Amino acid sequence: MTHVTGSALLEQPLPAPGKLRQHLTSDITRAVLAVQRHILVVAREHLTEAGFMEMLPPIIGPVTDPGTRGSKQVDLDYYGHRYKLMTSAILYKQASLLTYDKIFYIAPNVRLEPLETTNTSRHLAEFHQIDVEMAGASREEITGVLEQLVRQIVRRVIADLPAELETLGRDPLAFESLVTQVFPSMTHAQALQQLRELGHVQNTDAEIEWSGEALLSGHLGRPVFVTDYPKGSRGFYDRESQTEPGMLRNFDLLAPEGYGELCSGSEREYDYARIVSRIRETGENPAKYGWYLDLLRDGIPASAGFGIGLERFTRYIAGLDSVWQASAFPKLPGVVSP
């Protein structure tokens, strides 16, 4: 099976019956899914040894993450109540810290992405995240956890799955800087300045566009953190800096080689009054978040956390053309699939 880019996928949409069989029986898919399984094995080992407790995330709830970058939520009838499929378990991650100080999920997510994302090679309507949350952590502490996790996973894949990487045509030397050097960081403003120098201009108050992320990451030699997104560009749960009003204490991790964003995270807002104010600023009714606000009113821990896109991370390590290749049963935006 040859690698298929997002644009070629529109001409030969997957998974159609014949193409699904080809996909499931190919040596490439077997190697990719072996890499993905190893990512999960190593992640569980590493996080458990670091004191994190794995919990099972909810799949449905009365509300879900509103900050999903243009995608639509999926509604369902839950015994006469309007519930949502989880687009992200972020609110539940914060709530879980009432049980344990350090938790992680392997969380399924469903987002009806805009149709234009079919050509980004980075979007699925159904995907999974390695979600991590840590009570009392700062952004610097949680990015340290993330960097150690990414480095350990890549090291183990290189060491334990050389045959699979050879099948995929992925040179382990592509990860030399990742496994030997610390990940640098730049602010959102610095990232936009670099993009302007590369000929890409965008709204300074918004998240970096998908095309901008790909362009920027194509000029990176190793993963890079992008920090300090402007307030309003992300969800109400990203904590605003107390010393730099208007800046969020958040981050993305961009992979090199044009693969774009692998992970997003932040320090979390946990103050009841500030959360209510932030929700209102987005034009939403705080009442819809009743269960979450009840917990905040009684107090939840300050925290920081992140979510790594499992299929995106698999795509990067395996050197795939498109993220759909990192799923046995891919669901692409707008493509009717098994």
Side-chain angles (χ1 to χ4, degrees):
M1 174 179 168
T2 58
H3 294 180
V4 182
T5 64
S7 58
L9 185 61
L10 291 178
E11 300 170 9
Q12 296 183 321
L14 282 175
K19 296 296 181 182
L20 179 59
R21 174 175 291 277
Q22 179 186 5
H23 174 57
L24 291 173
T25 58
S26 77
D27 291 340
I28 293 293
T29 299
R30 290 191 182 97
V32 169
L33 296 183
V35 168
Q36 188 170 94
R37 175 185 176 277
H38 214 55
I39 290 171
L40 291 174
V41 167
V42 177
R44 283 188 162 109
E45 289 178 356
H46 180 83
L47 290 169
T48 300
E49 289 174 3
F52 288 84
M53 176 67 72
E54 181 173 6
M55 296 179 67
L56 297 177
I59 299 172
I60 63 172
V63 290
T64 187
D65 180 1
T68 50
R69 208 170 183 177
S71 64
K72 294 181 180 179
Q73 300 172 358
V74 178
D75 295 333
L76 71 156
D77 184 338
Y78 182 69
Y79 302 101
H81 297 272
R82 185 180 179 183
Y83 268 45
K84 309 282 188 182
L85 291 179
M86 289 296 106
T87 60
S88 164
I90 172 60
L91 306 183
Y92 293 93
K93 285 202 297 179
Q94 286 184 276
S96 294
L97 296 177
L98 293 169
T99 306
Y100 299 105
D101 288 341
K102 300 164 73 174
I103 64 100
F104 73 96
Y105 302 151
I106 307 300
N109 297 271
V110 177
R111 299 180 187 176
L112 299 185
E113 300 283 2
L115 289 177
E116 59 266 26
T117 62
T118 305
N119 280 327
T120 66
S121 299
R122 299 197 298 118
H123 289 84
L124 292 169
E126 178 183 78
F127 63 98
H128 299 78
Q129 288 193 156
I130 303 171
D131 273 317
V132 176
E133 199 75 15
M134 181 175 174
S138 66
R139 181 176 65 189
E140 289 70 29
E141 289 170 324
I142 204 66
T143 54
V145 171
L146 171 58
E147 183 170 343
Q148 291 172 12
L149 176 62
V150 168
R151 185 173 289 116
Q152 177 66 2
I153 288 171
V154 172
R155 281 175 175 160
R156 286 283 301 277
V157 170
I158 292 171
D160 300 342
L161 300 180
E164 284 77 4
L165 293 179
E166 184 176 2
T167 296
L168 294 165
R170 189 61 159 149
D171 186 350
L173 292 177
F175 306 109
E176 186 172 7
S177 295
L178 183 155
V179 299
T180 60
Q181 301 178 31
V182 298
F183 299 174
S185 73
M186 67 179 79
T187 65
H188 177 268
Q190 290 170 333
L192 295 191
Q193 177 58 39
Q194 287 198 22
L195 284 172
R196 281 192 289 271
E197 294 170 0
L198 293 169
H200 180 94
V201 179
Q202 70 154 67
N203 185 346
T204 58
D205 295 324
E207 289 189 288
I208 299 172
E209 298 165 351
W210 297 302
S211 58
E213 280 182 0
L215 178 63
L216 184 62
S217 90
H219 287 75
L220 302 178
R222 61 188 184 277
V224 171
F225 289 111
V226 178
T227 66
D228 300 316
Y229 282 72
K231 183 181 177 182
S233 65
R234 290 286 175 89
F236 57 73
Y237 42 77
D238 281 13
R239 192 162 188 258
E240 184 176 3
S241 171
Q242 301 304 293
T243 58
E244 297 181 78
M247 295 291 184
L248 298 175
R249 293 281 296 166
N250 61 2
F251 60 90
D252 280 350
L253 181 64
L254 302 187
E257 303 178 68
Y259 286 98
E261 177 205 320
L262 291 180
C263 173
S264 289
S266 72
E267 291 179 13
R268 312 302 188 188
E269 186 51 78
Y270 60 94
D271 179 80
Y272 172 82
R274 286 197 294 264
I275 284 280
V276 170
S277 176
R278 293 277 297 278
I279 291 173
R280 286 176 174 152
E281 286 172 4
T282 67
E284 287 198 284
N285 181 359
K288 68 186 285 189
Y289 296 95
W291 73 266
Y292 174 67
L293 294 177
D294 286 344
L295 293 180
L296 287 170
R297 188 184 290 110
D298 293 334
I300 63 173
S303 68
F306 58 81
I308 304 175
L310 176 60
E311 288 83 0
R312 288 186 181 182
F313 195 18
T314 305
R315 180 197 173 204
Y316 166 56
I317 295 178
L320 304 175
D321 294 321
S322 184
V323 71
W324 70 258
Q325 295 169 290
S327 174
F329 304 100
K331 303 295 189 297
L332 282 140
V335 178
V336 177
S337 310

